[in-house]
Amino acid sequence: MELEFDYVIIGAGSAGCVLANRLSADGKNRVLVLEAGGSDRRFWIQTPIGYGKTFYDAAVNWKYLTEPEPGINNRRSYWPRGKVVGGSSSINAMVYIRGQQQDYDDWRDLGNPGWGWQDVLPYFKKSETYAGGGDDFRGCDGPLYVNNPSAEYHPLCRQFFEAAQQQGFGVNPDFNGADQEGVGYYQITTRDGRRMSAARAYLYPALKRNNCELITHAQVTRIRFSGRVATGVEFVHKGRTRQVEARREVIVSAGAINSPQILQLSGIGDPELLKDFGIEPVTGLPGVGRNLQDHLDYCIYYKSLVPTLNNRLYPWWGKLFAGAQYLLFRNGPLSLSVNQCGGFLRSHPSRPRPNIQMYFAAITYTTAPPGQRPLMRPDPYPGFLNSIGQTRPTSRGHLQIDSADPFAPVTINPNYLSTDEDLAQMLEGAKLLRALAKTPALAQIIDEEMRPGPGVQTDDELIEDIRNRADTVFHPSCTCMMGPDPKTAVVDTNCRVYGVERLRVVDTSVFPTLISGNTNGPTIMVAEKASDLILDGRERQSFQ
Ligand SMILES: Cc1cc2nc3c(=O)[nH]c(=O)nc-3n(C[C@H](O)[C@H](O)[C@H](O)COP(=O)(O)OP(=O)(O)OC[C@H]3O[C@@H](n4cnc5c(N)ncnc54)[C@H](O)[C@@H]3O)c2cc1C
């Protein structure tokens, strides 16, 4: 075999970077990371606002499209995914959210002991250094810097907080502290004005060790087996097919789209599907690619009577000023996310816990269709937006290979808004946006509602508008679900793939259910915990 390592990690994304670091830390293992994309040393990746530029950039992005979706009136949803060192953590919007404590207790109660809130909290803390300091909930010496630049955020955020209070909601100083509920500022993964991707936090420090290596532009085409034991992987690098042996384990961390794809291409999945494409099954696991969950977001746009970020970022001299400010001082709007504040709220008082995530942004923009130009162009008038998304959708989709060709994209059917429950919660959320706009704090600064506008009033009209305009906020997950039953689940509580040996999946795809919030922080937590599980297993193996 031309290459031999102890652990071979597929994908240098949020999870893969954590694993590379933790598995190589004690110097006892040789670790190889294979990444399909290239270097992240690019200005628009390192610059926080560059998110808008990488959104459609095929040089760093897989640029997936779903099938036409009946729930969103047969529109296709565009799904960016990082194809670059750092994975999606290199192109994401940097909002840091852990989710609700109950989300993890739900994971445990679904038959996953060891994954309840008290079990995962130590790993959230271990992963981070929080700008606000450590306490019972927050970490102070982990690799991932979590910033709280609220002093730099737009003053309109405070107007939003006032409106929320007038509507009866509380202000929460830390969504990632004791309780998530309320409105507040978003914390972001940046440091010194630069993006804090998982690569910056975890991978680059690991690559300084002589037992950790990264090969970029290396697309894994299949996992190799001897019987049911994973022995290594095959990958294409610079046009050449190469093989690497994994002496201990292969770990698939290719993300919620590509991890199930790699499993299916390697003979792990629904045997009927595999047969259709002439792939010899290694083990039958019908859950691969099923159980797909994602967050859908619905947005209302307002023309404002007071200045917003549009006033700073639309005119050329404003852009020039913001650029100079960033280059000279590493601060200003280019050093931040556009998602500066929001909330986790109950769309109706009868809801037992927050079921809606809100994003309030002091900017409005026209979004370009995929591939035409950078994502956002601020509008020429002052404006702001407010949006809602259901935190724990009940709709379940699926994705699957459409060919045995590892370079062909998978077919994605998210099945958005396919339950009455999801539609009901989105409708309640849309009405909540309207109610907030009527509070004195917001009413006094709204010139007019631009989209959807006054023509949309009744429940039916709102539902139609939700189906016409709601779209992903890029959190696909659960496609290699962790669970107790191999008839539906793909991995056990140790992230080991059922039915085979020496193979794990560790990334967003193993979430049993989607958590209430953004998925990067929780994915990093999963990889932190999985690293310990893998290293514990190694100790046991060496005693056998
Ligand atoms: C545009 C966008 C905005 C987002 N905003 C936020 C946000 O503000 N906050 C937040 O918390 N989350 C956000 N997310 C989601 C979050 O970033 C992801 O959930 C998380 O990064 C996923 O981590 P992962 O390890 O599962 O996969 P990824 O980080 O996507 O990593 C998978 C890696 O595997 C590589 N790979 C795939 N297939 C192969 C193969 N065959 N061979 C080799 N390598 C392969 C990929 O190139 C990639 O580098 C956003 C995502 C996107 C796309």
Side-chain angles (χ1 to χ4, degrees), residues 197-209:
S197 69
R200 184 176 171 201
Y202 286 91
L203 183 62
Y204 288 114
L207 290 176
K208 291 194 181 125
R209 303 172 187 145

Side-chain angles (χ1 to χ4, degrees), residues 11 13-15 35-36 62 80 82 87-88 92-95 220 258 508 518-520:
S14 300
E35 168 53 46
W62 291 90
S88 297
N92 72 10
M94 297 156 293
V95 171
V220 171
N258 296 75
T508 320
N518 313 66
T519 41
N520 186 44

Side-chain angles (χ1 to χ4, degrees), residues 232 309 341 359 379 449 456 506 515 531:
L309 270 176
C341 63
Y359 292 99
D379 290 322
E449 183 186 295
V456 172
V506 179
I515 54 88
S531 301

